[in-house]
Amino acid sequence: MNRFIVLQLSLALAALPLAAQVPQEDSQSRADSSKAGAKPAAVTYLFPEQITVTADKSAVVDLHFKVANGLHVNSHTPHSDYLIPTTLKLPDSNGVRLANATFPPGADYAFAINPQEKLSVYTGEFVIHAELVASRGNHLVEGTLHYQACNNESCMPPHSIPVAIDVIAK
Amino acid sequence: MVVFVLVLLGLAGWANWQNRRQAAAAALAKQSQVVLVPDNATSSTGGDAGIGHMSSPLVGKRAPAFTLTNLKGEKVSLADYKGKAVQLNFWATWCAPCKIETPWLVELEKQYSPQGFEILGVSFDDLDKDDPKLLAKEKVDIAKSVAQLHISYPVLLDGDSIAKSYGDGDVYPTSYFVDRSGTIVGATFGLTSKDDLEGNIRKALAGGTLQAGLGKGTR
């Protein structure tokens, strides 16, 4: 019994610093997540979350994305080699293959200070026509959209967002 | 049993010390973070996710020391520029606004270098360090871009490795203006005007003295 009490006491003492740390970490992470609002993703995947297609046959799916207000991303075919194009990738071994992707044409954009140099960009909502071929079954596909965003005076580093689609192939 | 309790208490104390050390390190890292400050008066981004204007708590503090490699593969330290006014220009080849300000920087560097002013371009292009072939290609691409832009000042690679100490702003272009004593006296985030850059350069040239100079690695 004595041993049990000593063990309990020891564990309680050992847990003290950890217990003291937990609320601190919680409040810290809450503060961080509220701060995270300062740097939201420039592009959001909107829909579809789930699609039903014919197994082993090509199906065109429209993937909808939104660029945050005030930002633009390079189109799939930027006017310059040094700019990073918007691209879509699907993992190879998932039972779902990206046979082709048709990107919308970009809109011309120029920085006010340098109106001669036109960029090809997406703003607002844009749609990628993705041609998918899926084997029979249910597949949770986690593709990625890679892009590089700027506003009218500065740029952010290239970034990728997940494009999660539940593909049901019958 | 007594030994067991003592060991347990010792472990508890060690865990507590570790936690405090980590919290102190986190607090220190946060001190150097750039802070987003809404600038509704001038922002035309419409701003749900605008990069926005920022202020930096680094202004008024010593410029964090660093050593990076230039395009020739030589090591360059900020401390090598002891006694000079320095503009650290964070840029990337994929950054269109960076390329707009580059000709201004080239001109300003020529204009003010006789007074002891230097620019260090710090590239934030990704480097695939695990893939020698790709890494070599990336370095060639940066060098090509530097040549195309007629950049005459040194360009250093792997800016990502010093991003944290400079506030992890993730906004390009960014410039820090360091006076002769190694103190950051100004910062610009995003494309600004040539006049604004020049004003900060003058501030850097005017601030600090050679007497207050630095030992290696103290910037």
Side-chain angles (χ1 to χ4, degrees):
Chain A
M1 186 62 181
N2 277 347
R3 277 188 181 183
F4 178 74
I5 291 169
V6 171
L7 187 62
Q8 288 277 51
L9 183 65
S10 306
L11 289 172
L13 283 169
L16 256 180
L18 298 174
Q21 187 66 15
V22 168
Q24 192 183 342
E25 280 178 353
D26 277 351
S27 61
Q28 191 61 56
S29 61
R30 274 196 298 274
D32 285 347
S33 53
S34 69
K35 264 189 193 169
K39 275 190 197 176
V43 181
T44 314
Y45 175 54
L46 297 177
F47 62 89
E49 289 178 353
Q50 187 182 76
I51 56 168
T52 302
V53 298
T54 305
D56 302 318
K57 289 203 170 172
S58 164
V60 175
V61 181
D62 287 352
L63 307 177
H64 294 249
F65 298 88
K66 186 177 189 306
V67 181
N69 286 349
L71 299 182
H72 61 261
V73 298
N74 294 317
S75 75
H76 183 61
T77 51
H79 293 327
S80 172
D81 286 344
Y82 67 79
L83 296 172
I84 295 172
T86 296
T87 54
L88 177 71
K89 275 187 185 168
L90 256 56
D92 288 336
S93 53
N94 203 284
V96 180
R97 183 170 59 85
L98 179 65
N100 191 26
T102 307
F103 290 77
D108 276 352
Y109 175 89
F111 288 95
I113 205 156
N114 189 20
Q116 311 91 294
E117 191 177 344
K118 299 272 192 273
L119 307 175
S120 170
V121 304
Y122 300 144
T123 54
E125 285 191 32
F126 68 93
V127 178
I128 299 173
H129 304 292
E131 198 179 318
L132 304 179
V133 182
S135 58
R136 189 172 301 277
N138 287 7
H139 313 277
L140 182 58
V141 179
E142 183 114 333
T144 49
L145 185 86
H146 189 65
Y147 62 85
Q148 192 270 307
C150 301
N151 68 7
N152 60 357
E153 59 190 23
S154 53
C155 292
M156 294 186 280
H159 188 63
S160 293
I161 56 162
V163 180
I165 313 165
D166 188 11
V167 180
I168 302 165
K170 293 179 177 173
Chain B
M1 180 51 74
V2 172
V3 172
F4 172 72
V5 170
L6 286 174
V7 167
L8 212 51
L9 285 171
L11 281 172
W14 178 80
N16 198 11
W17 176 75
Q18 282 285 351
N19 287 334
R20 284 172 189 276
R21 206 169 60 112
Q22 282 167 11
L28 195 67
K30 276 191 183 303
Q31 274 180 11
S32 62
Q33 281 181 350
V34 290
V35 180
L36 281 165
V37 177
D39 187 2
N40 298 329
T42 56
S43 175
S44 56
T45 60
D48 282 358
I51 295 164
H53 291 250
M54 297 179 178
S55 65
S56 172
L58 287 175
V59 173
K61 292 186 178 161
R62 307 285 281 185
F66 63 78
T67 300
L68 294 172
T69 306
N70 66 17
L71 285 166
K72 294 176 192 163
E74 300 159 340
K75 291 199 167 173
V76 176
S77 297
L78 183 56
D80 297 341
Y81 291 81
K82 177 183 170 182
K84 296 207 168 195
V86 177
Q87 177 180 352
L88 301 174
N89 179 243
F90 295 175
W91 73 293
T93 58
W94 42 258
C95 167
C98 300
K99 301 202 170 191
I100 294 173
E101 73 168 15
T102 300
W104 305 339
L105 298 181
V106 172
E107 280 177 31
L108 290 166
E109 204 259 349
K110 272 184 196 155
Q111 187 181 339
Y112 287 97
S113 63
Q115 296 177 41
F117 170 69
E118 303 268 0
I119 296 177
L120 288 175
V122 181
S123 161
F124 275 71
D125 289 84
D126 270 346
L127 296 176
D128 287 274
K129 293 172 192 167
D130 299 334
D131 186 336
K133 271 191 183 172
L134 199 53
L135 178 63
K137 186 193 173 297
E138 287 161 347
K139 286 181 179 175
V140 167
D141 287 345
I142 296 168
K144 269 186 196 167
S145 192
V146 166
Q148 278 172 7
L149 290 162
H150 308 292
I151 295 177
S152 48
Y153 45 82
V155 170
L156 312 181
L157 304 172
D158 196 19
D160 275 332
S161 65
I162 63 165
K164 210 164 221 172
S165 57
Y166 277 87
D168 239 344
D170 274 358
V171 171
Y172 306 99
T174 283
S175 282
Y176 289 99
F177 300 85
V178 184
D179 73 10
R180 296 177 198 269
S181 71
T183 302
I184 295 177
V185 294
T188 58
F189 299 95
L191 185 61
T192 177
S193 65
K194 190 181 174 189
D195 287 348
D196 193 17
L197 293 170
E198 188 169 10
N200 278 295
I201 291 168
R202 285 182 174 166
K203 212 192 292 181
L205 280 165
T209 61
L210 281 170
Q211 284 73 27
L214 305 159
K216 255 195 183 276
T218 55
R219 266 189 170 173

